[in-house]
Amino acid sequence: AQSVTQLDSQVPVFEEAPVELRCNYSSSVSVYLFWYVQYPNQGLQLLLKYLSGSTLVKGINGFEAEFNKSQTSFHLRKPSVHISDTAEYFCAVSDTSGTYKYIFGTGTRLKVLA
Amino acid sequence: GAVVSQHPSWVICKSGTSVKIECRSLDFQATTMFWYRQFPKQSLMLMATSNEGSKATYEQGVEKDKFLINHASLTLSTLTVTSAHPEDSSFYICSARPTGEPGYTFGSGTRLTVV
């Protein structure tokens, strides 16, 4: 069985500071990894995904994430955050075949402070 | 890119009535769609897997007779909350992906309030 852990439920950070949102996963098979962002009362928007290849993945809005197989991690980073980055961030894993059903983490609320 | 449209965005209904939520893939065909429920400040809880042309697969603890799912075409899945009660009030989100491609696109969600 797969699982996803987002250790930080809330992360406050000042505007223009860097941020890292942590995601660790557990799986006995290969996985695909995803980060999504959710703004209030909206659906989820894909930030980036790791399917294969380079372990450093660049996404939208200046976000990037690095897949670390040995540490089973897929942490999300941004070098300089904006007020508009305030949102809920979800990490997800899926199988690499079949329906690709997601297992979601519990989410991290990023609060950017002025 | 893949676009999923969910309608309505919000709905208020009286207790005991039924509400239908639509999820459409606008520019691709989807044999599988997922329906989630999200409580305030929580993660998404998978309710069911909607399969085109066949019965939906429900997660443990989800009442099949209360949450009716129909996936009659490759671009449309519907979730009907039957005999809604206040405890069914929640945020419902669907997702879909182009066949053969990993990575799901999510609808914008439906805020259901039962009064």
Side-chain angles (χ1 to χ4, degrees):
Chain A
Q2 298 167 345
S3 66
V4 179
T5 301
Q6 292 182 248
L7 289 172
D8 306 303
S9 59
Q10 294 187 67
V11 174
V13 62
F14 285 105
E15 193 174 19
E16 298 184 5
V19 70
E20 179 180 82
L21 306 183
R22 296 182 292 169
C23 173
N24 288 88
Y25 70 93
S26 174
S27 177
S28 59
V29 297
S30 296
V31 295
Y32 292 146
L33 295 152
F34 306 86
W35 273 101
Y36 284 85
V37 61
Q38 184 181 34
Y39 299 99
N41 293 311
Q42 294 187 28
L44 276 65
Q45 180 184 11
L46 180 65
L47 283 175
L48 47 79
K49 60 187 176 186
Y50 173 79
L51 304 182
S52 65
S54 173
T55 57
L56 182 62
V57 180
K58 294 191 181 298
I60 63 171
N61 301 342
F63 284 95
E64 64 179 32
E66 185 155 20
F67 170 58
N68 188 317
K69 188 174 182 179
S70 62
Q71 297 187 8
T72 61
S73 67
F74 191 55
H75 301 333
L76 181 71
R77 296 190 291 258
K78 186 170 183 178
S80 176
V81 296
H82 303 289
I83 295 289
S84 59
D85 293 322
T86 295
E88 191 81 21
Y89 291 79
F90 291 98
C91 180
V93 300
S94 78
D95 288 335
T96 57
S97 62
T99 63
Y100 306 108
K101 188 161 72 173
Y102 282 171
I103 303 296
F104 279 101
T106 50
T108 297
R109 174 161 293 276
L110 175 63
K111 174 75 171 177
V112 181
L113 308 169
Chain B
V3 179
V4 173
S5 174
Q6 189 173 339
H7 179 81
S9 299
W10 58 270
V11 58
I12 302 173
C13 71
K14 290 185 177 181
S15 187
T17 61
S18 295
V19 173
K20 180 184 287 188
I21 302 170
E22 293 187 348
C23 181
R24 293 181 184 272
S25 55
L26 297 186
D27 50 359
F28 64 96
Q29 295 182 331
T31 54
T32 302
M33 292 185 178
F34 290 121
W35 286 96
Y36 296 86
R37 183 173 181 176
Q38 187 179 31
F39 292 101
K41 298 184 180 181
Q42 293 189 26
S43 188
L44 283 72
M45 181 189 78
L46 180 64
M47 298 175 65
T49 303
S50 174
N51 303 299
E52 188 270 334
S54 64
K55 291 183 178 180
T57 304
Y58 291 82
E59 297 297 304
Q60 191 172 8
V62 177
E63 298 177 62
K64 301 178 183 181
D65 296 331
K66 167 164 278 295
F67 300 101
L68 299 180
I69 290 173
N70 184 280
H71 195 154
S73 78
L74 286 170
T75 59
L76 174 64
S77 175
T78 60
L79 168 68
T80 301
V81 183
T82 62
S83 186
H85 292 286
E87 57 265 30
D88 299 323
S89 298
S90 192
F91 194 59
Y92 294 88
I93 309 174
C94 69
S95 70
R97 64 174 177 87
T99 302
E101 294 185 22
Y104 282 85
T105 298
F106 287 79
S108 55
T110 298
R111 172 73 60 192
L112 170 63
T113 301
V114 184
V115 297

